[in-house]
Each structure stands twice: as C-alpha cells, then as structure tokens.
Amino acid sequence: MKTRRLGPFSASAIGLGCMNLSHAYGLPPPADQAERLLLSALDQGITLFDTAALYGFGTNETLVGRVLAPHRQRFVLASKCGMQGVNGQRVIDGRPATLRASCEASLQRLRTDVIDLLYLHRMDPAVPIEDSVGAMADLVLAGKVRALGLSEVSAATLRRAHAVHPIAALQTEYSLWTRNPEIAVLQTCRELGTAFVAFSPLARGFLGGALRDVSNLEAKDIRRNMPRFSPENYAHNLQLLQAFELEAAALDCPPARLALAWLLSQGEHIIPIPGTTREDHLMEFFGADTLVLSAPTLARLNALMHPNTVAGPRYNAATQAEIDTEEF
C-alpha cells in the first residue's frame, strides 16, 4: 500500500480504526475473529492502527496490545485520552492529572513503552486546550508519547493547540456524506503540516452498501441515536446510496473502495481509518490508494452527496454539544 506522512511517521495511506472490534455497533465479534482481522490487516500492509481508552472502556486497547504487541515495530500505534469510562459511564475529562493517568493505563493495556500518536479524544470545555495539550506535551518529553493529535476540534482550537506543541494529526469524521471538515479544518491542517485522519470514512457503514434496514440495529448500536439513521431520513439517504453504487459498479469496484478513493483524492494529507469486524469487508479497502478517479466522476460524486442532499445532521443535539467542530 502507498504511504502518507503522519507527523514524524510514514504510515499506510489507509489505516484501521479498531473501535468496531469492541465498541459502538452492538455486540463485538468473538475474540478469535477480532484477532484474525487485526493480523490480516497488518499482513496486507496496513501500518496505522487507531484505538482509544474509551473503546470498550479499555478492552479495545487490551485487544490491540495482546494481538499486535509482538509486531510493535511494524506499525504506527495511535490511541486517545481525555474521554473514558468511569463507573460504567462515558466521561470527558481533559485535566492534566487525568490525562497523565490515562496515558499510563493505556501503555499498560497496549503492552508498549511508548504510544506513537496520542490524541485528545474530546476537548473538555472546563479545561483550556492549552492546559490539556501542555500536559500531553509533558508526556512527549517523558518519552511516553512520540506525537500529539486532536479529535473533533475546530480550526481555531487546532491553532491554539499547535502554538503549545506541534499537532501531528487532527481526527474528525469525513466522508462523502459528512463534509464539515471542508469548512476550515482541512485547509488549516494543510497550512500547519498536520495530517487529517478521517474517521467513519464509510459513513458508519452506509457507504459500504450492506446496511439496508436500520430497523433491526442492535440495542447498543450508537447509530440508533444518529439522526441520519432514523427510518424517515434513512429512506431518503438510501436513494443517494443507490446512485453511489452505480458509480462504483461503473468502475468495477466495491462501494467501500470508491468511498475511500474519493477521500484520498481530496488531499495528500488525508488518511482515512475505516473499521470493520469482517475480513471480507477489510479486503474491499485495498486498492483504494491506486484507484484514480476522473474529474467527471469526482464531479458526479460531489453533486450526489453534500450537506444539501443528505437527510439529517450527523449527531443529535446532545452529542453535538460535546464537540468543537464547525458545522454547516
């Protein structure tokens, strides 16, 4: 697979988001299935693995550590602090002492001496970003972390943080149906030399084409609370998906590969991190880095999905209040 710059690292142009293996979309897969998927991704050339203290309240880091620690020199390891499980509840806490303790716990679970890229998972509105990033910078000086990142923040917050310590990567949702980074963050990342890591590049499974019926999502599937997956909005969005799948068929490629190729074409500093629990879906990612999209194809895709054609906001009001990103 081709590579792209991620701060001081060279990483595969497509990384793997590990969240799905422990968190968010209902029951996680059996342990042996998750282990096979991680090792298959590594063997196929993926060299960026993204996890977080929050995912499965530590169980995802434990999984990644157990499976990939023997291969630690072969990949870039990214994790996140600042949002974690406390007494069974998700808590945003950007206080320096909390971030230091979270990093120590992550190092233990990941079975490593150093985390290559540590993100602030969410900005804590009660703590100045300068204080949180300053504490994370101390972790770099201590040799526990190699580079810093931010997740779900605005261009203005990125600039404030970057003034404290270089920010190697900014991670936010970006796909054909979520275009908010195009407001300001993508350009700011270019100016600062910050990589843009696109999470949910397949629109939480939507652009993969397999999710046709949202009525039977599992009880703990977070998409149940996302407006775009409500029955009325999803019925509209499925019409967009059908047109998108025709574009993929014309290129003789899976829809997921086309979605990733579109993202990669938006800038050399963009690295998508799709996630999956299935090896057959994983295989659909490969080839996106070499799929060249013509100007007419890009124009049709951009006209098909954008803020005025997709039904529903990406988050409900309560979740939107927790993040700092620009919104259309």
Side-chain angles (χ1 to χ4, degrees), residues 161-206:
H162 195 76
V164 175
H165 187 279
I167 301 300
L170 187 152
Q171 181 175 143
T172 292
E173 183 174 357
Y174 188 30
S175 69
L176 266 168
W177 88 340
T178 295
R179 310 288 282 275
N180 307 75
E182 296 173 1
I183 298 172
V185 163
L186 284 182
Q187 180 57 36
T188 303
C189 285
R190 288 189 190 96
E191 293 174 11
L192 299 178
T194 298
F196 182 92
V197 175
F199 77 74
S200 295
L202 303 181
R204 301 187 183 275
F206 171 73

Side-chain angles (χ1 to χ4, degrees), residues 90-138:
R90 180 175 63 89
V91 174
I92 296 173
D93 187 344
R95 292 174 296 174
T98 301
L99 301 183
R100 288 191 292 268
S102 178
C103 179
E104 292 293 344
S106 291
L107 289 168
Q108 292 294 317
R109 290 190 292 262
L110 291 164
R111 302 188 187 186
T112 187
D113 295 327
V114 61
I115 296 169
D116 295 319
L117 175 61
L118 182 67
Y119 292 93
L120 183 67
H121 204 159
R122 290 290 186 274
M123 185 179 74
D124 184 343
V127 180
I129 191 66
E130 292 83 358
D131 291 357
S132 295
V133 173
M136 295 169 69
D138 290 341

Side-chain angles (χ1 to χ4, degrees), residues 231-251:
E232 60 276 14
N233 286 335
Y234 205 67
H236 167 86
N237 292 330
L238 278 177
Q239 298 177 42
L240 306 179
L241 179 63
Q242 291 167 0
F244 176 74
E245 289 176 326
L246 290 176
E247 294 287 346
L251 294 169

Side-chain angles (χ1 to χ4, degrees), residues 234-297:
Y234 205 67
H236 167 86
N237 292 330
L238 278 177
Q239 298 177 42
L240 306 179
L241 179 63
Q242 291 167 0
F244 176 74
E245 289 176 326
L246 290 176
E247 294 287 346
L251 294 169
D252 193 26
C253 74
R257 189 174 302 160
L258 176 57
L260 295 173
W262 177 86
L263 263 174
L264 291 169
S265 73
Q266 302 308 300
E268 288 295 321
H269 65 311
I270 296 172
I271 301 176
I273 52 167
T276 184
T277 62
R278 293 173 44 176
E279 288 186 75
D280 58 335
H281 288 173
L282 175 70
M283 294 302 113
E284 295 178 355
F285 304 163
F286 297 101
D289 58 322
T290 57
L291 180 59
V292 178
L293 303 181
S294 68
T297 296

Side-chain angles (χ1 to χ4, degrees), residues 49-102:
F49 290 81
D50 181 280
T51 181
L54 175 71
Y55 302 158
F57 290 4
T59 60
N60 194 247
E61 287 183 324
T62 298
L63 168 68
V64 170
R66 183 178 72 252
V67 177
L68 295 183
H71 312 281
R72 184 65 184 85
Q73 302 307 312
R74 295 173 56 188
F75 65 93
V76 177
L77 175 62
S79 194
K80 308 178 194 72
C81 62
M83 185 162 64
Q84 59 192 335
V86 178
N87 297 323
Q89 299 295 317
R90 180 175 63 89
V91 174
I92 296 173
D93 187 344
R95 292 174 296 174
T98 301
L99 301 183
R100 288 191 292 268
S102 178

Side-chain angles (χ1 to χ4, degrees), residues 92 121-123 151-154 172 314-315 318-327:
I92 296 173
H121 204 159
R122 290 290 186 274
M123 185 179 74
S151 178
E152 292 276 52
V153 300
S154 64
T172 292
R314 69 179 180 122
Y315 286 143
T319 303
Q320 184 60 47
E322 295 180 342
I323 61 174
D324 177 51
T325 55
E326 294 90 353
E327 300 297 320

